Short mmCIF file of all heavy atoms in Angstrom, two decimals:
data_model
loop_
_atom_site.label_atom_id
_atom_site.label_comp_id
_atom_site.label_asym_id
_atom_site.label_seq_id
_atom_site.Cartn_x
_atom_site.Cartn_y
_atom_site.Cartn_z
N PHE A 238 -16.21 -3.23 2.83
CA PHE A 238 -16.00 -1.91 3.42
C PHE A 238 -15.06 -2.12 4.61
O PHE A 238 -15.49 -2.43 5.71
CB PHE A 238 -17.36 -1.33 3.86
CG PHE A 238 -17.39 0.18 3.98
CD1 PHE A 238 -18.60 0.85 4.01
CD2 PHE A 238 -16.22 0.93 4.08
CE1 PHE A 238 -18.66 2.25 4.13
CE2 PHE A 238 -16.26 2.31 4.19
CZ PHE A 238 -17.48 2.97 4.21
N GLY A 239 -13.76 -1.99 4.36
CA GLY A 239 -12.75 -2.48 5.30
C GLY A 239 -12.25 -1.47 6.31
O GLY A 239 -11.46 -1.82 7.19
N ASN A 240 -12.68 -0.22 6.19
CA ASN A 240 -12.26 0.78 7.18
C ASN A 240 -13.04 0.51 8.47
O ASN A 240 -14.25 0.33 8.44
CB ASN A 240 -12.57 2.18 6.64
CG ASN A 240 -11.91 3.28 7.44
OD1 ASN A 240 -11.51 3.06 8.57
ND2 ASN A 240 -11.82 4.45 6.86
N THR A 241 -12.34 0.51 9.61
CA THR A 241 -13.03 0.26 10.88
C THR A 241 -13.65 1.53 11.45
O THR A 241 -14.30 1.50 12.49
CB THR A 241 -12.05 -0.32 11.92
OG1 THR A 241 -10.91 0.54 11.98
CG2 THR A 241 -11.61 -1.72 11.54
N ILE A 242 -13.45 2.64 10.74
CA ILE A 242 -13.93 3.94 11.23
C ILE A 242 -14.83 4.54 10.15
O ILE A 242 -14.35 5.17 9.20
CB ILE A 242 -12.73 4.87 11.52
CG1 ILE A 242 -11.75 4.18 12.48
CG2 ILE A 242 -13.19 6.20 12.10
CD1 ILE A 242 -10.32 4.64 12.37
N LYS A 243 -16.14 4.29 10.29
CA LYS A 243 -17.09 4.69 9.23
C LYS A 243 -18.20 5.55 9.81
O LYS A 243 -18.73 5.26 10.89
CB LYS A 243 -17.71 3.43 8.60
CG LYS A 243 -16.71 2.47 7.98
CD LYS A 243 -17.37 1.20 7.45
CE LYS A 243 -17.74 0.19 8.51
NZ LYS A 243 -16.62 -0.32 9.32
N ARG A 244 -18.62 6.57 9.08
CA ARG A 244 -19.77 7.35 9.52
C ARG A 244 -21.03 6.51 9.33
O ARG A 244 -21.13 5.74 8.36
CB ARG A 244 -19.92 8.63 8.69
CG ARG A 244 -18.75 9.60 8.84
CD ARG A 244 -19.06 10.91 8.17
NE ARG A 244 -19.49 10.72 6.77
CZ ARG A 244 -19.84 11.69 5.96
NH1 ARG A 244 -19.84 12.94 6.41
NH2 ARG A 244 -20.21 11.45 4.72
N ALA A 245 -22.02 6.71 10.23
CA ALA A 245 -23.25 5.94 10.14
C ALA A 245 -23.89 6.09 8.76
O ALA A 245 -24.33 5.13 8.15
CB ALA A 245 -24.22 6.39 11.24
N ARG A 246 -23.92 7.33 8.26
CA ARG A 246 -24.60 7.52 6.97
C ARG A 246 -23.81 6.92 5.81
O ARG A 246 -24.38 6.62 4.75
CB ARG A 246 -24.92 8.99 6.72
CG ARG A 246 -23.80 9.97 6.70
CD ARG A 246 -24.41 11.37 6.54
NE ARG A 246 -23.44 12.45 6.55
CZ ARG A 246 -22.92 12.98 7.66
NH1 ARG A 246 -23.24 12.50 8.84
NH2 ARG A 246 -22.07 13.99 7.57
N ASP A 247 -22.52 6.71 5.98
CA ASP A 247 -21.75 6.04 4.94
C ASP A 247 -22.02 4.53 4.95
O ASP A 247 -22.03 3.88 3.90
CB ASP A 247 -20.26 6.32 5.11
CG ASP A 247 -19.93 7.78 4.85
OD1 ASP A 247 -20.79 8.49 4.27
OD2 ASP A 247 -18.83 8.23 5.23
N ILE A 248 -22.23 3.98 6.15
CA ILE A 248 -22.62 2.57 6.25
C ILE A 248 -23.97 2.38 5.56
O ILE A 248 -24.16 1.44 4.77
CB ILE A 248 -22.71 2.13 7.73
CG1 ILE A 248 -21.31 2.18 8.37
CG2 ILE A 248 -23.32 0.73 7.85
CD1 ILE A 248 -21.32 2.04 9.89
N ALA A 249 -24.92 3.29 5.84
CA ALA A 249 -26.25 3.21 5.22
C ALA A 249 -26.14 3.30 3.69
O ALA A 249 -26.79 2.55 2.97
CB ALA A 249 -27.14 4.33 5.76
N TRP A 250 -25.31 4.21 3.22
CA TRP A 250 -25.10 4.41 1.78
C TRP A 250 -24.58 3.11 1.14
O TRP A 250 -25.07 2.67 0.09
CB TRP A 250 -24.11 5.56 1.58
CG TRP A 250 -23.86 5.98 0.16
CD1 TRP A 250 -24.49 6.99 -0.50
CD2 TRP A 250 -22.91 5.42 -0.75
NE1 TRP A 250 -23.99 7.08 -1.79
CE2 TRP A 250 -23.03 6.14 -1.97
CE3 TRP A 250 -21.97 4.39 -0.68
CZ2 TRP A 250 -22.24 5.85 -3.08
CZ3 TRP A 250 -21.20 4.09 -1.79
CH2 TRP A 250 -21.33 4.82 -2.98
N ALA A 251 -23.59 2.50 1.80
CA ALA A 251 -23.00 1.26 1.26
C ALA A 251 -24.04 0.14 1.26
O ALA A 251 -24.17 -0.62 0.30
CB ALA A 251 -21.78 0.87 2.09
N HIS A 252 -24.79 0.06 2.36
CA HIS A 252 -25.82 -0.98 2.49
C HIS A 252 -26.86 -0.85 1.38
O HIS A 252 -27.25 -1.83 0.75
CB HIS A 252 -26.47 -0.85 3.87
CG HIS A 252 -27.64 -1.77 4.10
ND1 HIS A 252 -27.49 -3.14 4.17
CD2 HIS A 252 -28.95 -1.52 4.27
CE1 HIS A 252 -28.68 -3.68 4.37
NE2 HIS A 252 -29.59 -2.73 4.43
N GLU A 253 -27.28 0.39 1.12
CA GLU A 253 -28.26 0.63 0.05
C GLU A 253 -27.75 0.17 -1.30
O GLU A 253 -28.51 -0.24 -2.17
CB GLU A 253 -28.58 2.13 -0.08
CG GLU A 253 -29.64 2.64 0.86
CD GLU A 253 -29.61 4.18 0.91
OE1 GLU A 253 -29.28 4.82 -0.12
OE2 GLU A 253 -29.87 4.72 2.00
N ARG A 254 -26.44 0.25 -1.50
CA ARG A 254 -25.87 -0.16 -2.79
C ARG A 254 -25.49 -1.63 -2.82
O ARG A 254 -24.88 -2.09 -3.78
CB ARG A 254 -24.68 0.73 -3.12
CG ARG A 254 -25.16 1.98 -3.81
CD ARG A 254 -24.27 3.18 -3.57
NE ARG A 254 -24.98 4.39 -3.99
CZ ARG A 254 -25.85 5.04 -3.22
NH1 ARG A 254 -26.11 4.62 -2.00
NH2 ARG A 254 -26.48 6.11 -3.67
N GLY A 255 -25.82 -2.35 -1.76
CA GLY A 255 -25.65 -3.80 -1.81
C GLY A 255 -24.38 -4.35 -1.19
O GLY A 255 -24.08 -5.53 -1.32
N ILE A 256 -23.61 -3.49 -0.51
CA ILE A 256 -22.40 -3.97 0.17
C ILE A 256 -22.85 -4.75 1.42
O ILE A 256 -23.68 -4.25 2.19
CB ILE A 256 -21.48 -2.80 0.60
CG1 ILE A 256 -21.22 -1.84 -0.56
CG2 ILE A 256 -20.19 -3.32 1.24
CD1 ILE A 256 -20.47 -2.41 -1.72
N THR A 257 -22.28 -5.94 1.61
CA THR A 257 -22.74 -6.77 2.74
C THR A 257 -21.64 -7.12 3.72
O THR A 257 -21.91 -7.73 4.75
CB THR A 257 -23.34 -8.10 2.22
OG1 THR A 257 -22.35 -8.77 1.42
CG2 THR A 257 -24.58 -7.87 1.37
#
Side-chain angles (χ1 to χ4, degrees):
F238 203 162
N240 192 342
T241 52
I242 306 153
K243 301 176 283 300
R244 297 189 307 179
R246 59 184 178 278
D247 293 345
I248 294 168
W250 185 95
H252 175 67
E253 275 165 33
R254 274 151 194 84
I256 310 295
T257 57

